[in-house]
């Protein structure tokens, strides 16, 4: 089954515009996301799905510079953008990753993909929701589902938050979800990029662990946070945005 990671990216952001081109250790956040996803062994292709807005032209240039394909679609209907990217790439399995996760762990990505391929769920995710408490930190989020499920969502929903957030239709209507959890609960940590405080923490983590290659993963990050407790204070007060 052809497995395609689709990384959604755009320059517009309500909290932190242009965040995907902010730099950590001299490289953009988008670069770090792509390089880390490239390490996943079960992914056949990576596509950056951005918009047709002129402000996102720079993301096309950056993605091509980093050696991955680009699909451009609707800025409002992210679901259709995702579906068309999956259709054009002939993906059978879609791995959804967002561009604000520069610490995404390819080991975890492979584990979620493998679980999906070995079972019969509509979607396998480590992200969790209000009914299933997450155990992974925010910023490690992976969702794996079929192109067929994405097609059903694209054809059958017009609910605004379904269109904006891609997968709610699969969770709510197909209703056959597996929540992939870790043995220990580390959900108190926030490793995503949505605010200036998040960027301060990510900068510190990269300063400690990055040595011109991505050879550190969640275990090393957790060890750093647990032995430097002041780091977590940088952004532990930030509340995650909820679905509209």
């Amino acid at each position: 089954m052809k497995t395609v990671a689709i990384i959604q990216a755009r320059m517009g952001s309500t909290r932190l515009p242009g965040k995907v081109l902010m730099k950590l250790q001299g490289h953009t956040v988008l670069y770090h996301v792509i390089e880390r996803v490239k390490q996943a062994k079960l992914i056949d292709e990576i596509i950056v799905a951005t918009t047709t807005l002129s402000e996102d032209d720079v993301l096309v240039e950056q993605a091509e510079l980093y050696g991955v394909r680009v699909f451009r679609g609707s800025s409002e209907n992210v679901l259709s953008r995702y579906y068309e990217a999956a259709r054009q790439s002939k993906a059978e399995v879609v791995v959804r990753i967002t561009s604000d996760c520069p610490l995404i762990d390819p080991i975890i990505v492979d584990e979620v993909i493998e679980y999906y391929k070995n079972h019969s769920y509509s979607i396998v995710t480590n992200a969790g929701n209000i009914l299933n408490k997450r155990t992974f930190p925010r910023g490690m989020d992976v969702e794996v589902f079929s192109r067929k499920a994405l097609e059903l969502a694209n054809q059958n929903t017009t609910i605004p938050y379904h269109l904006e957030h891609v997968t709610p239709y699969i969770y709510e209507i197909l209703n056959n979800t597996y929540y992939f959890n870790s043995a220990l609960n580390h959900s108190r940590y926030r490793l995503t990029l949505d605010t200036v405080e998040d960027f301060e923490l990510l900068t510190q983590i990269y300063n400690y662990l990055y040595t011109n290659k991505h050879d550190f993963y969640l275990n090393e990050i957790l060890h750093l946070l647990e032995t430097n407790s002041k780091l977590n204070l940088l952004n532990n007060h930030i509340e995650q945005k909820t679905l509209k």
Side-chain angles (χ1 to χ4, degrees):
M1 293 185 288
K2 184 178 182 182
T3 302
V4 178
I6 301 179
I7 302 171
Q8 66 186 71
R10 63 188 180 97
M11 288 297 289
S13 169
T14 54
R15 281 180 160 181
L16 195 61
K19 61 184 178 180
V20 294
L21 293 188
M22 296 175 76
K23 290 191 174 181
L24 298 166
Q25 288 286 312
H27 295 288
T28 66
V29 168
L30 181 61
Y31 168 85
H32 290 298
V33 176
I34 291 171
E35 289 303 304
R36 293 181 75 87
V37 174
K38 281 181 178 179
Q39 293 186 33
K41 297 176 182 178
L42 299 182
I43 288 175
D44 300 309
E45 185 177 4
I46 299 172
I47 295 176
V48 170
T50 192
T51 81
T52 55
L53 298 176
S54 59
E55 67 185 38
D56 290 325
D57 290 350
V58 63
L59 298 184
V60 176
E61 296 171 4
Q62 291 292 306
E64 291 175 346
L65 179 65
Y66 303 149
V68 298
R69 287 178 56 193
V70 178
F71 177 83
R72 304 189 76 167
S74 171
S75 60
E76 300 295 330
N77 189 339
V78 189
L79 172 58
S80 72
R81 190 199 320 164
Y82 242 79
Y83 170 66
E84 290 300 332
R87 185 182 65 81
Q88 288 197 13
S89 69
K90 295 182 171 58
E92 295 172 87
V93 176
V94 177
V95 182
R96 181 174 181 243
I97 294 170
T98 57
S99 59
D100 51 8
C101 298
L103 293 173
I104 190 75
D105 189 327
I107 299 170
I108 296 169
V109 172
D110 276 339
E111 289 175 347
V112 178
I113 295 171
E114 183 175 27
Y115 198 92
Y116 172 84
K117 288 187 173 181
N118 289 333
H119 297 82
S120 298
Y121 291 98
S122 297
I123 186 168
V124 175
T125 179
N126 67 347
N129 66 5
I130 59 173
L131 298 177
N132 294 268
K133 188 176 181 180
R134 69 164 56 233
T135 57
F136 288 92
R138 292 194 181 277
M140 294 289 154
D141 295 6
V142 184
E143 293 176 306
V144 183
F145 45 90
S146 68
R147 191 180 88 198
K148 180 62 177 177
L150 195 59
E151 181 178 21
L152 289 172
N154 187 60
Q155 291 176 343
N156 294 306
T157 186
T158 57
I159 299 173
Y161 79 90
H162 283 187
L163 305 182
E164 180 182 356
H165 297 284
V166 181
T167 53
Y169 178 94
I170 301 175
Y171 288 108
E172 297 169 8
I173 307 302
L174 301 186
N175 194 25
N176 183 27
T177 302
Y178 182 81
Y179 292 93
F180 188 92
N181 288 328
S182 55
L184 299 176
N185 188 345
H186 297 293
S187 60
R188 65 188 179 278
Y189 294 118
R190 180 179 171 85
L191 303 175
T192 189
L193 176 58
D194 205 27
T195 68
V196 171
E197 293 89 343
D198 293 334
F199 186 68
E200 291 175 0
L201 175 60
L202 292 169
T203 298
Q204 291 297 321
I205 292 172
Y206 265 83
N207 288 345
Y208 275 104
L209 298 178
Y210 182 73
T211 56
N212 294 317
K213 57 183 178 179
H214 294 93
D215 59 353
F216 62 97
Y217 307 100
L218 182 57
N219 286 341
E220 289 82 3
I221 296 166
L222 291 174
H223 178 74
L224 174 65
L225 294 175
E226 289 165 359
T227 55
N228 296 267
S229 57
K230 289 184 179 180
L231 290 179
N232 195 42
L233 297 177
L234 291 171
N235 72 343
N236 67 352
H237 61 288
I238 301 298
E239 294 186 5
Q240 183 70 14
K241 292 189 296 183
T242 57
L243 296 187
K244 296 178 181 179

